[in-house]
Structure formats: structure tokens, C-alpha cells
Amino acid sequence: KTSKMQYYNNPMWPGEAHSLKVEKILYQGKSPYQEILVFESSTYGNVLVLDGIVQLTDKDECAYQEMVTHLPLCSIPSPKNVLVVGGGDGGVLREIARHDSVETIDICEIDQLVIDVCKEFFPNLSIGYKDPRVRLHVGDAVDFLRNSPEGKYDAIIVDSSDPIGPAQALVEKPFFQTIARALKSGGVLCNLAESMWLHTHLIQDMLAICRQTFKGAVHYAWTSVPTYPSGVIGFLLCAKEGRPVNFLTPVNPIEKIQGATKAGKELRFYNSEIHRAAFVLPTFVRRELESY
Ligand code: AAT
């Protein structure tokens, strides 16, 4: 059982905690990789917690899943082969499925129990698995990418947990090198990049690694997710050299994709204007990230 101390003293955000009222514990268990908890909250719907850290809630998952998916996919003309790293809940799959140009969606999630638990308690996310283009691979993404053919993917989305526990290797240079190898020329990566309020050093390190590894373009974007530490989350958008990519303005706007926002399946957060706005950085962030 995760102790109270663990909640208040996470080394990633010492001395801080955000609370949600628990109505009912729906699931508690332990996989070989992490502790898994699902509870019903009084104001954010169901909540998924891994090792004491909130991963998603029914209410605000749209901000995260829509941004992490459409920032990269709307930045390239016609994405065909897409890979998701982590993301076992299925929410990113649901978002990728809006793109009619996509032919294959590979997902590599390390933890089968996350998948099973989300199928039971987060049907609006796990619906993503129902798309026939999805191919599920259960395993460590480090191995999956090492064995992946060169130049296979148009886009890779790294939807993984914080870099403590099973996601540790996913912020290190060799992992980014295998991603670059697996991308087509002009292919893009969207990687989760923590909070600008809490982790500028980590962001600087990831930026430095990505600038060495991806010669096309590297940009930082951010959005609001109230249940993530400090209420915001960042994304690193990287392009492999070969074909110019301009992340700042969507070349493949979601509003023009046939059926992407059809009745009953409307987007809740993302649009082309918020895409452009996501790259506008506060002055202190601009200073800290550019002076690096
Ligand atoms: N869409 C929900 C957001 C997440 S979930 C992150 C997922 O990444 C988890 O299901 C976890 O099991 C998986 N994962 C972790 N390490 C690996 C690995 N090495 N290979 C494959 N999958 C992995 C992220 C929320 C971020 C929270 C921000 N504070």
C-alpha cells in the first residue's frame, strides 16, 4: 500500500500535493511494475493512479490525450504509421483514430494490468483499442524500439509515466536515438516533458539530448492539466531531418480532416488555435530554455 509519506514527499515535487475527494475505491492492485489504484472522485470522475501519481481523470484527460496526439499528427501532411509508447489506457489510440490517413497504430505498453484495469474502469479511453488499425505489443518500449525496423514510423508519441520506475530509461539519450532511427525522414516525435514550474532542469536536459539527436526541429509546448503536478504539462516536439517540419502552425489542421470531429465524437480541448498557442512560452521559461 502506498504510504501517506510517499504522496506528500514524491522526489519529483517535494513538499507538494494536490487532493481530490475519494468517493469510492474501485480497484487496488500491484503488477510486476507498479502499484495501481482506481478511485471514483467527487469532482473529476474516475482517477487512475500509478505508484501514487495521478495519470488521468475522466474530467481532464481530454486536455492531455488530445494535445499529445494532435500536436504531432497535425504537424505533418499525411501520417500513416504511428507508434504509441506507454498509453496503456487507450486514450491516445482513440485520438489517433480520428486521422483517416493513418494505416497502422502500434502501441507498446509495459504493463498488461494497466490495460485490463482501464478496460474495466475507463471505457471512454479503452474504446481506442476497438479501432482495427491498432496492434498491441505488451513489453518494454526500450526493447521494442531497439528491434523496430529503421524508418518505419511517421510519428511516435511517448505517453509514458514520470522518469522514476519503469519509465526511467525513456528520458535517456540511447532511447531517443532508437526513436530517431525508427522514424522516417521528416518523421516526428512528441514526448511528454514534465512541468515548466517544477522541472526546468529536466526539460533542459531533454532539450539538449533532443537537439543533438533530431536535426529537423525541436520545440517545447505546454498545456493545462489540473490534476497533474503544478497543473500544467509540457511536450517536446522533435522532427527528424529530411523534410522540413514546422510545428508552430498545423499543416494538417484537424478541422479539415474528414470525420475527425463528427457528431458524438467531438474534440473537447484541441483546436488549431490552441495548437499555435501551445508553443508560446512565458518569459521565464523562454529565458531558461534558450539560455541553455
Ligand atoms: N495516458 C495516460 C498517461 C500516462 S500513462 C503512462 C504509461 O506508460 C503507463 O501505463 C505505464 O505502464 C507505461 N510505461 C512506463 N514505462 C514504460 C516502458 N518502459 N515501456 C512501455 N510502457 C511504459 C502518463 C501520465 C504522465 C503523468 C505526469 N505526471
Side-chain angles (χ1 to χ4, degrees):
K1 212 169 143 197
T2 309
S3 73
K4 271 207 179 107
M5 281 305 285
Q6 216 174 316
Y7 285 115
Y8 291 109
N9 271 325
N10 189 301
M12 296 279 295
W13 38 88
E16 285 188 43
H18 175 236
S19 38
L20 288 173
K21 187 173 176 214
V22 177
E23 288 297 331
K24 195 175 163 197
I25 303 267
L26 299 173
Y27 178 87
Q28 246 178 325
K30 198 169 168 30
S31 76
Y33 304 100
Q34 51 212 342
E35 286 180 18
I36 303 177
L37 165 71
V38 180
F39 69 88
E40 183 195 323
S41 67
S42 51
T43 50
Y44 276 76
N46 289 356
V47 182
L48 173 69
V49 184
L50 299 179
D51 282 343
I53 302 175
V54 172
Q55 305 291 308
L56 60 90
T57 79
D58 280 329
K59 179 172 170 163
D60 66 2
E61 57 90 4
C62 60
Y64 172 74
Q65 326 270 6
E66 292 180 18
M67 292 296 274
V68 79
T69 306
H70 304 305
L71 285 174
L73 295 192
C74 293
S75 294
I76 50 177
S78 180
K80 289 190 177 58
N81 302 316
V82 184
L83 169 66
V84 181
V85 168
D89 50 85
V92 171
L93 303 175
R94 178 194 72 201
E95 293 306 315
I96 297 170
R98 294 182 192 273
H99 290 258
D100 58 1
S101 65
V102 169
E103 290 166 6
T104 65
I105 310 172
D106 284 329
I107 172 167
C108 179
E109 160 65 54
I110 203 167
D111 197 338
Q112 180 70 49
L113 194 56
V114 170
I115 300 168
D116 296 341
V117 166
C118 290
K119 284 193 172 162
E120 187 167 353
F121 298 106
F122 296 93
N124 292 332
L125 290 115
S126 57
I127 191 173
Y129 284 100
K130 295 214 169 112
D131 192 284
R133 295 167 288 181
V134 172
R135 291 185 300 215
L136 170 64
H137 310 265
V138 177
D140 190 336
V142 172
D143 300 329
F144 183 84
L145 273 152
R146 215 182 275 138
N147 298 318
S148 157
E150 208 174 320
K152 177 169 183 187
Y153 296 105
D154 300 276
I156 298 179
I157 297 170
V158 179
D159 176 21
S160 71
S161 6
D162 293 291
I164 31 177
Q168 177 88 58
L170 309 187
V171 294
E172 288 162 12
K173 192 168 181 180
F175 182 67
F176 287 107
Q177 287 168 328
T178 59
I179 289 191
R181 213 185 116 264
L183 283 173
K184 286 183 194 158
S185 59
V188 293
L189 160 70
C190 183
N191 199 93
L192 209 61
E194 307 300 334
S195 158
M196 61 193 186
W197 290 107
L198 299 168
H199 309 119
T200 36
H201 287 290
L202 195 56
I203 299 168
Q204 283 171 344
D205 292 347
M206 286 170 78
L207 256 180
I209 292 172
C210 288
R211 283 187 177 138
Q212 290 161 6
T213 315
F214 299 91
K215 299 282 158 41
V218 178
H219 282 282
Y220 188 77
W222 63 287
T223 197
S224 142
V225 181
T227 58
Y228 281 172
S230 85
V232 300
I233 190 87
F235 308 100
L236 261 178
L237 278 298
C238 307
K240 186 168 167 173
E241 66 276 20
R243 182 161 48 99
V245 176
N246 175 13
F247 289 114
L248 308 186
T249 312
V251 291
N252 178 25
I254 198 86
E255 294 83 1
K256 297 216 169 117
I257 300 172
Q258 185 91 37
T261 58
K262 61 182 171 227
K265 283 196 179 171
E266 292 89 354
L267 287 157
R268 284 198 284 155
F269 193 89
Y270 179 88
N271 55 52
S272 287
E273 279 172 322
I274 217 161
H275 179 124
R276 288 188 281 269
F279 293 93
V280 180
L281 304 182
T283 308
F284 82 94
V285 182
R286 209 191 292 173
R287 192 185 306 128
E288 284 176 42
L289 296 189
E290 274 174 12
S291 66
Y292 188 66

